[in-house]
Amino acid sequence: MNRGRSLARSRRGGQHRRRKSGRRRVLEYVAGLAAVAVPAVAIGAVFASPGGGSAASGAEWAPPSVAAAPATTGAAQAMGDPAGDGGKVSTASKRVKKARDPADTASGPSKHTDTKAVTYFKQRWAKDKAVKRITDIRTVGKYLRIYTNLPENAHNSKSAIDLCKRGLEYLSKEVGEQSPVVFVQAQFGQNGNPVLANVIGPGDHSCRLSAPDPK
């Protein structure tokens, strides 16, 4: 009898242990599912959030502001328009005038200057007001050209006539020219350096300009 009771007890104890082990496995399985489910829920919340961050933060996501360069700028610079403004020239740049070479305007001494004539005029008529209007003197061939700062409408003016006579004297007495030709010319303008007075040969002694006819 005792042996049968002991056998029964051992069977019940084994069943109890087996049931306890099975229950433990179930608990462990449930815990494992929970461990996997929690990260999955968190990842889903991250992707569901507009900002790609925590859904609980409540911060709204906005794309970074990037200033796009005008598409025409690169093309304009490639076409030789550094400013990219379609080749428009500013008003200020229009007002800038290129400095002219004195050699082109006869507004000062140049490589064409007849230094001998300049020296003669300065020494011979140092105090002459007309001589002070001279900007350059050039000898071209046998022609003496006296450039001045006189306006182009000073045809046959006293200053122009006086300078013509000074040039005639220089060629005749200093150079020994038998057929002197002298041109007194105005300051540079739209018409270049117009002639204001002249002597055009041995028969001309008046220095008055006959053509064009001054009015």
Side-chain angles (χ1 to χ4, degrees), residues 42-132:
I43 294 172
V46 170
F47 283 100
S49 175
S54 175
S57 64
E60 296 185 0
W61 177 84
S65 176
V66 179
T72 57
T73 302
Q77 291 178 350
M79 293 295 291
D81 182 13
D85 57 0
K88 295 181 180 179
V89 181
S90 63
T91 304
S93 63
K94 289 181 179 180
R95 294 177 181 175
V96 177
K97 296 182 179 179
K98 183 179 180 181
R100 292 183 177 275
D101 189 344
D104 298 331
T105 62
S107 57
S110 67
K111 63 181 181 179
H112 307 293
T113 300
D114 186 337
T115 55
K116 182 180 178 181
V118 171
T119 301
Y120 183 88
F121 272 71
K122 288 183 177 181
Q123 293 179 351
R124 178 74 173 80
W125 300 287
K127 297 181 180 180
D128 191 280
K129 292 182 179 180
V131 171
K132 293 180 180 180

Side-chain angles (χ1 to χ4, degrees), residues 124-168:
R124 178 74 173 80
W125 300 287
K127 297 181 180 180
D128 191 280
K129 292 182 179 180
V131 171
K132 293 180 180 180
R133 305 300 298 267
I134 296 174
T135 57
D136 197 11
I137 301 177
R138 302 176 183 180
T139 299
V140 182
K142 294 183 178 182
Y143 299 167
L144 184 70
R145 295 185 179 275
I146 303 173
Y147 293 94
T148 71
N149 57 11
L150 294 170
E152 63 178 12
N153 61 354
H155 298 96
N156 294 332
S157 63
K158 183 178 186 303
S159 294
I161 297 296
D162 287 347
L163 289 176
C164 180
K165 291 180 178 179
R166 305 288 188 266
L168 183 61

Side-chain angles (χ1 to χ4, degrees), residues 52 80 92 108 187 211 214:
Q187 64 184 355

